[in-house]
Every structure is written in C-alpha cells, then in structure tokens.
Amino acid sequence: MESQFSSPYQKPSESYNKEMATQKAEELNNAVRFGSIETVRKLLEEGTDVNSKVKGGWTPLHSAIQKDMGELVQFLLDKGADPHAKKDNGATPFIIAGITGNVSLLKLFLEKGSDINEYDNNGFTAFMEAAWHGKEEALRFLYDNGADVNLGRVTDEEKKALNKGGATALMDAAKQGHVAIVEALVKEMEADVNTCDNWGRNALVHALSVTEPRRWGEGNETIALFLLNNGADVNKKDEHGKTTLILAAERESQRLVEAILERNEVDIDDADRNNKTALMVAVEKTNCEISKVLCEEGARTDIGNLLEIANSNYNTELTELLCKYCKPQNLSQPKTQWTPSSKHWRSKLQDLHGRYRPMIGKLKVFHYQDFRIKRTSQGGVYLGFYDGKEVAVKIFYVGAENAVREKTCLEKCHTSNNLVKLCGWEEQKTCLYVCLSLCEKNLEEYFQMADNTAMESKDVLKTIFLAVKELHSFGFGHQDLHPSNILIDVTGKIFLADFDKSREVAEDNRGDAIISEDLQALGHLVLYVAMKGKVSFEALPMECPEEVDNCMEVEDLRTSLGTPDKNNRVSGQLDRLIYHPYFWDKKTRYRVLRDVGNESDIKTRNTKYHKNTSEILEALNHEGDPFKGWHDQIEKMVWESMGPFRDKVNKKPEKNKQRYEDCVTGLLKLIRDMGEHFDEKDEELKNKIGNPADYFLTHFPNLTLYVYRSLCNTHYNKHFPNAQ
C-alpha cells in the first residue's frame, strides 16, 4: 500500500489529524455504548480524548450514563471526564441521569457541583426529565434535594416569541400518563395545577392534548379527572383554541365531558379556531352518548351543519337525536362591509368580526393566542368587541384582588382625560372581562419602531405627568409605572393603563408613601423617554448620559422626582414639576430670563456692594457661580453695545450706569437690556445676533435651569409659568 506521506520524515497534515481524532472519538463512544470497558481503557491509554464528542455532542460520559453503567461512569470520571460537559442541545450528564432515573448517578453529579435546577437549551431539568420518563424514585430524590417543582422550561427570547417553553414537570407527567407521579407532584410536592406554559396551557390541557390516539388511555383519563378534582382551571385552551370540553369530546371520554360540565364554569358553545364546538366534534366522531349529554345540557344545535354531518355518516341514531334538539337554521345574511378603526390590529379584528363566537353579554371575544394583545399573570389581554365597539379585553378571575383594584380604579376615574377608558365589563363563570378602549401599541413598542420621531420626548413625558397627576387627584397611586403600561391610540394620543396594582391614597403617611413610589418610578420613565428607549427600562444608567438632549434638565427633573422637597408636601410635588424648565418652550425660557433680569435689584444694584442686602442677588450670585467669565463666551461687540446708555436729550453717557458685571446677574441684565433695546441697534449687530432668544439660549443652554433652581423656593418664582 502506498504511503500517505511523500517521505518518512513528513508530518501528518492537519486534516489527517482531525480525521483520525474523529475516528478515535467514534471508536471510544461505541466502546462505551457496547459496555467494553477494556476497549475504553485501551483507547484512553493510546491518547484518545476522554472528553471527545461525536454527532450530537455526545461524550463518552453522556453515553455511559445513557447506558446506565455506573462503574464505567466512575472510571471515565477518574480518567478526567468533564462532569459538566454539554451535548449540542445543552444536556449535561446530570440531566441525562434524570432521564435514566439512576439515583446513585444523580447523587454523584450533585456532589461534583451540578446545579439541581440546571437546564438544557430547551429548558429541560433533571426533575422534568424524571417526570416525563416516569422515574418516580429519581423524582423524589431530586425533590428532597431542592428541585423547583413549579419551574417552567426556560427558553431564549426567540423561542418564547413562538410561545415555546414554560412547561412544568406536572405537565410532562400528565401528558405522558404517569398517574403515580402526577399524584405525588400534586399531593406531596405541592405542584401548582394551574401554572401555564407559554401557550397558556395548564396541566389539564396537557393531559387532554395527546396527539396520537393510540397513546390516549385510562391513565390519561384518570389524570385529567384527578386534576379536575384538585381545582384545575377548565377554561384554559390548547394552541389551537380548543377548550378542555372540546378536547374531552375529541378523546371521546364521556366521564370527562360530564365532569367538566358539572363544574359549570365552561362555555358549552365555545369554539376553537376552526369554529368547531364540542357538539360538532362529538357529531363528527359519531359519538351519540357524548352528543346526547351536550344536547341535554343546552348546547346550541344551530352552529354548523350537524344533521348533514350525521346523515353523511349514515348514523340513524345520531340523526334522530339531532332532529329532536335541532332548531331550523336561519339563512345566512350577506356579510356587511366593515372596516376597523385600528390600523395595527385591522386584520385580526376583521378575522374576529367574521367568526362565530358565543356572546358573553355584550362582549364578543376569543381567548386564543392569535387575538392576544399581551400576556398577564391571570388571563391576558385580548382583542374583542363590546357592544359592537372594538376593545381590549383584560381577563381576570372573578373576585381576585387585582381584578377588584383595576375595576374600582377605572370606574372612579371614568371622567379622566389621560387614563385608558373603561368601556364596560362582563362576568361569566369564574372570569371577569374588563373591556378597555383599544390602543395600537405601548411605549416600548413605539421606541422599537424604526420611525419613532413622530412624538417629541417632552410631549410624551408631559402627557405621562398629567396622567399620573390626574390619577392621584382621583385618589389612586398607580404602583406599576412602566413603558409597557403607557399606551398610544390610533390618533397618537397617549394614555396611562394597567391599574391592577393601584392603591387608594389615604389621608395619612401611607398615602404620601404611595405617591412617592409613583414619583420614583416616574423618574425612571423620564430617563427612559429622554433616551428614546435605547436602553431597556430595567437597565437604565444611574444618571442621564451627556449625549442626551437637555441632559442637565433631564437629570434635574429625574432627581427632583426621587428627592423629597422639604419645602413642600409630596402630594404637590408633581403639580410643580409639570412646570419644570424641561417642559418650557424657547419663548417661555427667554421670557423668564428677561423678566428676572428686569428685577430692580438686578437692573440698578452692584452685586459687589449690595449682595448681602438683596435677596435675589444673594440667591443668584452664590459661590461657584458657573457663569463667571460669561463675557468670553459671546462677542465683545454684543455686551459693549449695551452700555453705558446715553441721555436721549444731551447725547451724553448717563451717570452712575455700570457695565455688566462678571456674574450671572450681569448676564441676566444684559439679556433684559438687549430684549428692550434690540430694535435700536445697528444692522451689523442685528445680523451678528439674529434672534436674541436663539442667541442667548444657544450660548448659555443651562442658564434657564440655573435660574429656576436658584429661585424656585423664593417669591421670585412668580416669573415662572403657573406661578402660584
């Protein structure tokens, strides 16, 4: 055989070495899988990497655990195998041990530093794997060692956006039909039967959602009945919008259909995304017993062509049953043209408008992810129609504390201008449906848009301030101010929403604390909006970055919201800060500077001699005056052109007129005088200055804030907007 090398001294190529390493890795992994410890020993002695990987990222250690060979596992660890190595899907040796249910190996890897709740790329923990595969002894061991029973599968944002993840060990055991494990999880380990995955499915839905008919059996039915008896919510749906009643009809379990109906909580006529009700499913499956139960409980028979379906299956018994309960169907009316007001939700609203949905009083809604606006801890927010008007429907459990707070707050604030409107509400079984005016997006979503320049940050914040002030005036604190709770409607108007954590403001110290908490959160919103959402609300910097427009004013406003004002009550703090200089326009800023400069002590007194006898001179010209040297920041001809003035009759300089001092009051005096006499100046100076307001505000952008901070707690604040 011809040598692969041109000479006996030539080194093997890199590709050859890589190929040989791959071959040795496969040999080692195969030896482990066949349990040949001698071959494993020989390959390792020849230098094969004990942590080498084959397809899928399997190491010899992973394979040894899968084969449940404890002796070989220990041998590999002694030879340097990594106890925390991960497969391509992120599974560690500890998680694989959860699949096999080997308690000794689970204990071994915990001793070597494995995290009891570590998870792979799909969010599976060892505890979940033990539940999925029915390994009860391993499940109990992991529980005793601190496994999180109600942990949902953790997934990345991309998977979460597709509603993947969130399933718990209880859901896994229920889906796989492991009765003993489900009972142990609920009765002994206090698993929550109503925790939902990212699709909004609870354990009951998982128990009913077995996809292959051959896998549905007595165990699944027993589990579903057990979960029902332990308080499982019957109003949850699967990813296709099927209710638990529809799923029970699909499984053809009369016991479950009857048990669900006995709860008297589910809408018997609710339909899935294909507009099929439980009765339609039962008829399609030619199940006379379930069809009879549903008909006797009042299921509508005028939805779908039930008789036609029964006749096509030549089922005389079912046809006779339906004839007994069926009502003559009305001829369908021609669909009317309808255009939603909303642009963002238009296609979904049109879809919902054309669907059959059982009415809940005046409300038409489909509790299904295609029509979901937002997730919540209870039932989510969905598109709907209330009395024919498109609305956002927020779903709560009847009597829940947050439901009471939301409804009470909205009802008492119904005359507000800047809070989202309550359009109405309905109750059905265990659910409260709060119907709100529909908006297009929230503030987070707005800033994520490519074109987010339509609204000025100042205008956005001014509206939010007014909304919070309005809420406080109605006697409530919000307690959950966040960009996701600031909504924007189709016209671009901003509203404050989500009052399920609101608190009534009592006339005591706690009332001030509630308002203070809102002001703290409002300070974070100031920074978030000023930065145009470029940093998430949860990761904002400690101070306003210098590159942000009007950063000093933004920082002063933010700090003022979070710092109690010893001169004023906290309940009036927001009233004052709504008129903070950050919100002033150019005209207002210039007018304030001129009016302050027009104070007699500034116009006529010399700071050097009169500071200690003049309140305004002392307030403005304190130590560390940042405007010393202001002459050097503007052209000499500007301030020289303003003095000394000449007597209009004798054309001589007026006596006792001082030049502009090198302090802030000297600058304010110049601004006042320039405003009064600008029209008298020559064209050269006018061309140099242009607009006096633009000129001085550009050269001294922080002067307005300085004057405001110096005079806000003096009677000279009479020059500020909304002076009290």
Side-chain angles (χ1 to χ4, degrees), residues 707-718:
V707 171
Y708 173 82
R709 296 303 300 164
S710 299
L711 303 180
C712 62
N713 289 318
T714 72
H715 71 91
Y716 294 105
N717 63 14
K718 64 185 179 181

Side-chain angles (χ1 to χ4, degrees), residues 209-465:
S209 295
V210 179
T211 51
E212 298 90 355
R214 60 182 174 80
R215 290 180 56 196
W216 171 261
E218 187 177 343
N220 298 93
E221 185 178 62
T222 300
I223 287 170
L225 290 168
F226 172 81
L227 292 170
L228 281 170
N229 291 332
N230 282 276
D233 185 354
V234 296
N235 284 301
K236 297 302 179 184
K237 299 181 179 182
D238 76 354
E239 63 272 29
H240 306 294
K242 296 175 181 178
T243 64
T244 56
L245 185 62
I246 294 172
L247 290 168
E250 279 189 349
R251 302 283 81 81
E252 298 190 73
S253 172
Q254 186 174 341
R255 291 176 65 196
L256 277 172
V257 168
E258 291 173 344
I260 291 169
L261 290 173
E262 282 176 10
R263 289 276 291 271
N264 196 31
E265 295 174 7
V266 70
D267 186 340
I268 197 170
D269 294 316
D270 205 348
D272 64 15
R273 70 178 183 186
N274 293 319
N275 287 337
K276 289 186 179 181
T277 65
L279 180 57
M280 290 175 67
V281 170
V283 170
E284 287 178 352
K285 289 184 172 292
T286 66
N287 192 307
C288 292
E289 291 76 13
I290 292 179
S291 297
K292 182 179 180 182
V293 170
L294 292 168
C295 286
E296 288 175 346
E297 290 294 325
R300 287 181 58 178
T301 57
D302 58 343
I303 304 169
N305 299 317
L306 299 180
L307 277 172
E308 184 178 328
I309 295 170
N311 285 327
S312 67
N313 289 321
Y314 297 94
N315 192 312
T316 306
E317 182 183 359
L318 187 55
T319 302
E320 290 176 354
L321 172 71
L322 292 172
C323 285
K324 178 180 177 182
Y325 288 96
C326 273
K327 300 174 183 178
Q329 292 190 16
N330 295 323
L331 294 174
S332 59
Q333 298 296 320
K335 291 185 178 180
T336 57
Q337 290 294 324
W338 175 79
T339 303
S341 300
S342 171
K343 295 178 181 177
H344 180 73
W345 304 110
R346 176 164 296 177
S347 61
K348 292 183 181 295
L349 286 167
Q350 288 174 328
D351 185 356
L352 180 60
H353 187 265
R355 284 176 176 268
Y356 158 74
R357 295 300 303 154
M359 295 297 292
I360 305 171
K362 297 179 181 180
L363 174 64
K364 179 179 182 179
V365 66
F366 192 4
H367 191 176
Y368 177 57
Q369 76 268 3
D370 280 5
F371 303 100
R372 184 170 59 210
I373 297 173
K374 177 183 176 182
R375 297 178 186 274
T376 67
S377 59
Q378 288 199 8
V381 183
Y382 291 82
L383 295 170
F385 296 96
Y386 183 80
D387 203 15
K389 178 182 178 181
E390 53 204 69
V391 292
V393 185
K394 197 169 184 179
I395 304 176
F396 298 95
Y397 293 122
V398 171
E401 184 179 358
N402 57 349
V404 174
R405 286 178 183 161
E406 177 102 13
K407 186 166 172 285
T408 301
C409 182
L410 286 166
E411 287 178 332
K412 291 188 177 181
C413 301
H414 70 279
T415 59
S416 66
N417 295 315
N418 300 291
L419 310 181
V420 71
K421 296 293 185 184
L422 175 66
C423 301
W425 56 274
E426 297 287 353
E427 280 189 23
Q428 185 186 57
K429 310 294 184 182
T430 60
C431 291
L432 171 68
Y433 301 87
V434 178
C435 304
L436 310 167
S437 50
L438 181 62
C439 290
E440 299 290 274
K441 60 184 77 71
N442 63 40
L443 197 58
E444 275 185 323
E445 293 164 340
Y446 171 75
F447 281 128
Q448 289 168 4
M449 295 168 53
D451 181 16
N452 59 15
T453 59
M455 296 189 294
E456 292 286 339
S457 295
K458 292 183 180 183
D459 296 333
V460 172
L461 282 172
K462 186 66 173 285
T463 305
I464 296 172
F465 272 50

